[in-house]
Amino acid sequence: MSSNVCRGLRKSIVLARAVIVLAMLLLVARASVAQDGGDGQPVSQSRPIGAMIDADRRIAFPEADRIVDVTQPPYNAAGDGETDDTEALQRALHDNMGHHRIIYLPPGTYLVSDTLEWSKQDSSGREAWGFNWVQGAGVETVIRLKDGTFTDPNEPRSIMWCGGFGSADWFHNYVHDITFDVGQNNPGAVGLQFYANNMGAARNIRIVSQDGQGAIGLDMSHRDMNGPLLARNIEVDGFDIGVRAGHTVNSQTFEHITLTNQNRVAFVNEGQSVAIRGLRSENSVPALRAASFTVIIDSELIGQGDASDVPAIHVGDTAFLARNVTTSGYQAALVREDGAEGVAEADIDEYMTGDANAPFGGPRASLNLPIRETPEVPWDDPADWVVIEPVPDGGDAAPIVQEAIDNGATSILLSHEVAFHSPVIVRNKVRRIMSTGGQIGQRELISPDLIIEDGEAPVVVIEHFSRIGGGIEIRTDRPVVLRSIESNITTTSDNDLYFEDVCTHDFHMQPGQNVWARQLNIENYGTHFTNNGGQAWIFGYKTERGGTLVHTRNGGRSEVLGTFCYSTSRVDLAPMFVTEDASAFAYFTEVAYGERVPIFVEETRNGETKTVPREEGGIAPYIGYVEE
């Protein structure tokens, strides 16, 4: 292997203290029900609920110049729980804004006395358009607010403020594997104010108040136009509000959230388009207040103390869908602000507002497709990674990456933007190819850049590329996970495919293929997503520009659970949803500041075609050819 391929470990990671109390067991909301997953094999309907944070998870990186360890010079953060590390961490943020770097916090407790602020400017004074990544080593990495610092509940302030600058162009931002602790006597504290557009995620995060005080745990409403983004594996204990969403655009997707001991409400949506899956709430206050478009599925809401006087869910005058939600200890499962009938009994099998768009009739129900969790692959020891150095003068990096793969590498880090002059074949033992947020090809030199073929690794993960210019082609039967990337994606196989926080365009499924997508953003003109005889579960779908959002044909089954179409231009191109001799369900909405899509649905069955124009009702729900 070339000498410029391998890099060593910068420093060994030493645990700073015992594991913080966390970790919810994987709970099941319903008994497992075997269904055909589209490949002839049974798929479990067991649904894990709540945060699935692995207390033993330890993230450490190989040495690379785009991995910035805040405990090393020039920052020298102490992480000892006694030294005030505010200045050190703020300097690290300032110096690395917009540079496609990972700001890494090893295990330790980093005491702060002021808000850690992200900036729209990079260290050179130029505008940064996002591309920021703050990464802890796991929940043993704690950013703790000094006691008695944010004491005014009327002027809340956060431990970390991730921006939001008046337009939806703050791309590819991430906060992962960190505990935010607001300490004691901080009633005006907010744990994390997160912001991202198109691609971005807060993952594996614990937000705690030691005395229960605090304004908000996770605040997604501090600025408008926040999203599309993903919040996954989040645990909040204490605060007046556990999670807050607000404003109208651009959609927010939440999965596996645990909220405990809130003072006013566990989760509130005050204007955003939101999709929630796997919420576990243990509270004496309402678990969810929905004032705008909300989908919640596969959740458990446990009332404690005085909860018998309040409902688990309070729904305003808005589109709302609940499915597979269990409650206990509350006055009722769901009440409506408008006085319409809610759900008095404890469990909600399925409840949705709105008149159904069902051109050919059928039961008022979703498809309730089987759901699989996104597979995880082992995180290798830093010494076992291969780091790809930049090639001078934009030279071809493909041979270097291919050599690493063919020599048996399991994890590969592309620490800089690189150019491929020929496709790289993903095979052999490689299971993870990731970047620090860089690109493959600032312009399309070839197509595709990556071809995923069969190999020894049972699952392949491609992640954290702000752009893969030449795209990805999938030619394997192995499951493939595409996480936090922007790329054109083509597939010639009927493998299982997982999207998590992905931006793509004009995607076509193969017959018999399964796709599970969480936080999917598609913005091309024309048809966005085609299901040609497969099974597609899309949770948190945001689209832009005119064209069909999902075209289901050839006996395929498609289910879209939130969130919305941002109708910006060429709304006349096609109906939103086209279904031909297939099954489809969509609970969806539209945001438009100009023209609106004129035709919601075009459905064909046995040669007969029917449409649902705008004047006949709203989008949600669309029920197409749902079989008995």
Side-chain angles (χ1 to χ4, degrees):
M1 186 179 294
S2 300
S3 60
N4 66 340
V5 174
C6 295
R7 301 291 299 273
L9 175 63
R10 172 175 292 180
K11 58 185 297 247
S12 60
I13 301 300
V14 179
L15 295 182
R17 58 185 175 86
V19 175
I20 297 172
V21 177
L22 67 18
M24 304 303 300
L25 294 175
L26 301 185
L27 300 175
V28 176
R30 295 287 190 275
S32 294
V33 179
Q35 295 190 12
D36 183 359
D39 55 4
Q41 299 298 317
V43 177
S44 173
Q45 281 286 81
S46 63
R47 294 173 170 90
I49 296 174
M52 300 191 300
I53 301 174
D54 182 358
D56 296 324
R57 176 180 169 91
R58 294 293 176 266
I59 302 299
F61 294 94
E63 184 177 347
D65 62 358
R66 287 199 174 182
I67 310 293
V68 179
D69 185 334
V70 299
T71 65
Q72 299 299 306
Y75 308 113
N76 299 315
D80 58 9
E82 297 180 359
T83 305
D84 191 329
D85 284 319
T86 307
E87 183 180 356
L89 297 182
Q90 188 60 63
R91 278 204 304 141
L93 288 169
H94 173 267
D95 290 351
N96 295 286
M97 284 286 103
H99 287 300
H100 305 266
R101 295 171 182 160
I102 299 174
I103 302 172
Y104 177 65
L105 284 69
T109 298
Y110 300 81
L111 189 67
V112 297
S113 55
D114 203 351
T115 298
L116 301 172
E117 295 187 348
W118 295 21
S119 171
K120 187 68 184 289
Q121 289 187 327
D122 66 20
S123 57
S124 303
R126 298 172 298 185
E127 280 206 337
W129 297 94
F131 310 104
N132 304 301
W133 183 353
V134 176
Q135 173 72 53
V139 292
E140 285 295 294
T141 295
V142 181
I143 302 179
R144 184 183 182 278
L145 182 64
K146 185 178 179 181
D147 293 345
T149 301
F150 296 164
T151 57
D152 187 352
N154 297 314
E155 295 289 337
R157 300 176 64 192
S158 61
I159 293 180
M160 181 174 286
W161 180 85
C162 298
F165 299 98
S167 61
D169 51 18
W170 194 227
F171 306 127
H172 206 68
N173 295 312
Y174 299 92
V175 178
H176 290 173
D177 297 286
I178 294 176
T179 293
F180 292 89
D181 182 349
V182 302
Q184 300 185 61
N185 192 27
N186 283 307
V190 176
L192 172 65
Q193 291 179 313
F194 184 72
Y195 192 102
N197 299 125
N198 285 13
M199 295 182 295
R203 292 188 181 95
N204 308 320
I205 290 174
R206 189 166 188 259
I207 305 173
V208 299
S209 168
Q210 293 186 13
D211 59 6
Q213 297 186 78
I216 307 169
L218 177 62
D219 184 11
M220 301 287 205
S221 66
H222 61 288
R223 291 299 304 268
D224 62 352
M225 294 185 280
N226 193 5
L229 58 81
L230 175 67
R232 192 166 192 267
N233 284 336
I234 309 291
E235 186 177 315
V236 181
D237 184 59
F239 302 90
D240 291 341
I241 299 171
V243 177
R244 183 181 180 186
H247 303 292
T248 303
V249 292
N250 286 294
S251 89
Q252 296 169 5
T253 302
F254 298 83
E255 188 174 35
H256 299 311
I257 311 294
T258 296
L259 305 177
T260 54
N261 300 314
Q262 277 72 56
N263 302 315
R264 288 173 46 198
V265 61
F267 193 119
V268 61
N269 179 15
E270 298 176 338
Q272 186 57 262
S273 292
V274 163
I276 307 166
R277 175 176 180 259
L279 169 64
R280 179 178 174 84
S281 171
E282 297 183 30
N283 275 288
S284 61
V285 297
L288 173 63
R289 290 187 180 274
S292 59
F293 183 92
T294 302
V295 171
I296 179 170
I297 65 172
D298 302 342
S299 296
E300 185 171 16
L301 315 177
I302 302 170
Q304 299 178 332
D306 298 332
S308 59
D309 295 331
V310 297
I313 301 173
H314 186 278
V315 179
D317 184 15
T318 186
F320 181 86
L321 167 67
R323 189 181 78 190
N324 301 323
V325 176
T326 66
T327 76
S328 61
Y330 281 102
Q331 178 190 62
L334 184 151
V335 299
R336 294 271 298 274
E337 185 179 275
D338 58 8
E341 184 178 1
V343 181
E345 56 269 23
D347 295 343
I348 305 173
D349 291 329
E350 188 158 281
Y351 177 94
M352 64 183 83
T353 64
D355 296 328
N357 294 316
F360 289 92
R364 182 183 171 85
S366 65
L367 295 181
N368 203 8
L369 294 182
I371 301 167
R372 284 181 180 158
E373 300 301 315
T374 305
E376 297 290 341
V377 301
W379 189 270
D380 282 339
D381 186 281
D384 295 331
W385 284 66
V386 172
V387 177
I388 306 301
E389 301 285 6
V391 179
D393 301 322
D396 186 7
I400 302 173
V401 178
Q402 193 66 65
E403 180 185 5
I405 292 173
D406 292 344
N407 283 341
T410 55
S411 295
I412 295 176
L413 175 67
L414 280 67
S415 63
H416 284 257
E417 287 74 20
V418 296
F420 290 174
H421 297 182
S422 58
V424 167
I425 311 301
V426 180
R427 56 194 178 199
N428 207 2
K429 298 179 181 180
V430 68
R431 58 193 176 203
R432 186 189 307 274
I433 299 177
M434 70 174 289
S435 172
T436 59
Q439 304 179 68
I440 300 176
Q442 293 186 359
R443 63 186 187 280
E444 184 179 322
L445 298 177
I446 58 162
S447 181
D449 284 316
L450 297 173
I451 298 174
I452 304 176
E453 294 188 348
D454 289 335
E456 296 181 41
V459 178
V460 174
V461 177
I462 311 294
E463 61 184 334
H464 283 290
F465 288 88
S466 57
R467 185 169 184 269
I468 299 178
I472 300 170
E473 183 174 326
I474 299 170
R475 301 178 184 174
T476 181
D477 292 333
R478 297 181 291 170
V480 172
V481 177
L482 303 177
R483 179 186 289 126
S484 298
I485 65 169
E486 178 181 351
S487 179
N488 181 45
I489 301 159
T490 60
T491 176
T492 61
S493 300
D494 62 354
N495 71 317
D496 289 345
L497 183 56
Y498 300 82
F499 294 154
E500 188 177 300
D501 181 40
V502 167
C503 185
T504 187
H505 63 275
D506 192 18
F507 175 73
H508 290 252
M509 290 177 61
Q510 294 298 311
Q513 187 170 39
N514 294 303
V515 170
W516 289 274
R518 295 152 165 91
Q519 206 298 85
L520 177 64
N521 182 51
I522 301 183
E523 299 187 5
N524 62 280
Y525 289 107
T527 301
H528 290 40
F529 189 108
T530 301
N531 178 359
N532 181 26
Q535 186 164 272
W537 179 79
I538 306 175
F539 184 72
Y541 186 29
K542 181 262 179 182
T543 71
E544 203 164 319
R545 300 185 175 88
T548 294
L549 309 185
V550 179
H551 183 177
T552 310
R553 57 186 301 272
N554 191 26
R557 295 189 290 174
S558 300
E559 185 166 57
V560 179
L561 298 167
T563 53
F564 79 94
C565 168
Y566 186 13
S567 300
T568 56
S569 50
R570 293 304 309 275
V571 296
D572 61 321
L573 282 178
M576 278 190 183
F577 297 95
V578 174
T579 306
E580 299 179 77
D581 294 315
S583 300
F585 175 85
Y587 204 83
F588 208 69
T589 190
E590 179 188 20
V591 172
Y593 298 103
E595 292 185 278
R596 294 178 177 269
V597 175
I599 303 294
F600 290 146
V601 175
E602 178 183 284
E603 186 173 336
T604 301
R605 190 187 303 183
N606 299 323
E608 182 183 2
T609 299
K610 296 182 180 182
T611 62
V612 178
R614 167 173 293 282
E615 56 267 22
E616 292 188 8
I619 307 168
Y622 161 48
I623 301 170
Y625 196 28
V626 179
E627 299 172 339
E628 297 281 356

